[in-house]
Amino acid sequence: MLVVGSDILQKAHKEGYGVGAFNFVNFEMLNAIFEAADEASSPLIIQASEGAIKYMGIDMVVGMAKIMSNRYSHIPVALHLDHGTTFESCQKAIEAGFTSVMIDASHHPFEENLELTAKVVEAAHKEGVSVEAELGRLMGIEDNISVDEKDAVLVNPKEAEIFVRESKVDYLAPAIGTSHGAFKFKGEPKLDFKRLQEVKRLTNIPLVLHGASAIPDYVRESFLNSGGDLKGSKGVPFEFLQESIKGGINKVNTDTDLRIAFMAEVRRVANEDKTQFDLRKFFTPGMQAIKKVVLERMHLLGSANKIS
Ligand code: PGH
Ligand code: CA
Ligand code: ZN
């Protein structure tokens, strides 16, 4: 059943657990994610970026999401627009049937971000759709970074308080030192948990962690064993994910882990049988690999067995 994003995240916020928000670009990713949610009895957020929408067509994105949510009608599922860049993009998603949208104007000055977010919130709430916004920039933080530099890229808790109050946004992504992709930290992994706790205290709404892929050892191994290269890659350690949930994160955006797990299997099969050209022989193990990652993550984040 497709539900409003806030239905899922308000419960997670009150009970103090995290819900994985998993990106998909095709049937295979979506199918694997749903199978995992079914096995874990977990609520679910599935999300499509503007790039994914361009790739599949918005009717296909919404159509597949609805079919899968009917197939697994006991699972509460929200369909979320990941990193919407404009009011129009959010508007289109709302009209097409998304139940949650992100307006990402965090690279604009505070006032502009606030103004645009408030405008999206007004339009979305009219249709019963919830909204996510972002404050700060997604960037790794290092030990030798100065306090001033940190303040320039990471979320400012006082600003977050004002932003949430004035925009009436439903959930907020505060930049605390993560980044997208497979190369998150140059040195030791580092996140600003203090800042996160302060944002939670001052806003008291569901918070979102972007760039939350962990690149677990066995996923890295499978990618390397298949002949892939992940030199210099580093994800968010599991302990950090748990710590961030304690600090108030409720939506945990995960894409890279699924891509790596899937592609490792596709390459393995391609290497093992050069005569193979049945797509299903590549994609079936790919789906199993994603399912395993998602299932584990749901248990780690605490959303398993939270369907009531
Ligand atoms: C993400 C995904 N999507 O919005 O934040 O992050 O690259 O760590 O999976 P990863
Ligand atoms: Ca951003
Ligand atoms: Zn993101």
Side-chain angles (χ1 to χ4, degrees):
M1 176 181 45
L2 277 190
V3 302
V4 176
S6 273
D7 282 4
I8 291 174
L9 288 174
Q10 276 298 332
K11 186 170 185 287
H13 168 61
K14 286 188 189 112
E15 297 180 21
Y17 60 89
V19 178
F22 300 101
N23 289 77
F24 68 102
V25 300
N26 59 14
F27 161 75
E28 284 75 16
M29 293 183 88
L30 193 61
N31 189 51
I33 294 163
F34 268 91
E35 282 189 357
D38 182 35
E39 209 162 304
S41 291
S42 169
L44 179 63
I45 300 171
I46 47 172
Q47 55 187 14
S49 66
E50 289 177 349
I53 289 172
K54 195 168 168 209
Y55 181 73
M56 288 184 276
I58 200 162
D59 52 347
M60 183 63 75
V61 172
V62 176
M64 275 202 302
K66 284 190 173 164
I67 288 169
M68 293 304 286
S69 70
N70 287 336
R71 183 182 291 180
Y72 295 96
S73 56
H74 59 293
I75 301 175
V77 189
L79 174 61
H80 176 81
L81 171 67
D82 192 22
H83 293 284
T85 52
T86 60
F87 177 80
E88 290 70 28
S89 175
C90 293
Q91 186 79 16
K92 272 193 192 141
I94 293 164
E95 280 166 15
F98 281 65
T99 60
S100 175
V101 294
M102 176 187 190
I103 177 70
D104 180 1
S106 65
H107 45 289
H108 293 302
F110 179 81
E111 286 298 330
E112 270 174 55
N113 185 359
L114 174 57
E115 200 177 313
L116 181 52
T117 301
K119 191 176 162 195
V120 171
V121 169
E122 201 191 337
H125 283 184
K126 264 189 209 145
E127 304 301 323
V129 169
S130 2
V131 180
E132 171 184 336
E134 182 170 293
L135 275 177
R137 274 181 289 154
L138 290 185
M139 248 170 88
I141 43 168
E142 287 155 59
D143 275 332
N144 51 8
I145 190 171
S146 72
V147 174
D148 282 359
E149 283 170 316
K150 240 180 166 180
D151 281 340
V153 291
L154 300 185
V155 64
N156 174 328
K158 292 250 158 54
E159 278 187 0
E161 183 183 16
I162 299 166
F163 187 91
V164 166
R165 191 175 56 230
E166 302 208 341
S167 68
K168 300 192 168 57
V169 77
D170 300 286
Y171 20 103
L172 181 72
I176 57 163
T178 58
S179 62
H180 289 126
F183 307 90
K184 298 185 190 297
F185 308 100
K186 286 205 187 79
E188 281 301 298
K190 205 170 172 31
L191 295 181
D192 197 333
F193 293 115
K194 260 210 180 122
R195 210 174 272 259
L196 171 63
Q197 287 161 11
E198 194 61 4
V199 172
K200 189 70 169 189
R201 189 177 70 79
L202 293 172
T203 62
N204 194 30
I205 63 168
L207 298 179
V208 183
L209 189 66
H210 280 256
S213 276
I215 320 187
D217 289 340
Y218 74 91
V219 173
R220 177 192 308 279
E221 292 293 302
S222 66
F223 196 81
L224 299 184
N225 288 341
S226 75
D229 184 356
L230 274 178
K231 225 171 274 126
S233 63
K234 214 167 272 177
V236 180
F238 282 163
E239 313 85 74
F240 279 33
L241 290 179
Q242 287 168 315
E243 186 75 28
S244 67
I245 285 164
K246 281 191 202 137
I249 292 292
N250 305 106
K251 175 173 180 279
V252 183
N253 286 15
T254 312
D255 187 3
T256 297
D257 278 345
L258 314 193
R259 296 178 177 198
I260 295 175
F262 188 86
M263 288 314 300
E265 286 304 287
V266 170
R267 186 170 14 242
R268 180 182 61 77
V269 176
N271 288 335
E272 278 174 10
D273 184 358
K274 308 268 188 211
T275 67
Q276 187 57 255
F277 48 73
D278 179 345
L279 277 67
R280 294 165 296 186
K281 294 284 193 291
F282 299 86
F283 294 169
T284 302
M287 283 192 281
Q288 278 157 2
I290 290 181
K291 182 180 172 184
K292 183 173 182 212
V293 170
V294 173
L295 190 58
E296 278 185 359
R297 200 60 49 88
M298 287 169 161
H299 283 278
L300 183 86
L301 304 178
S303 71
N305 302 311
K306 291 291 183 188
I307 295 179
S308 52

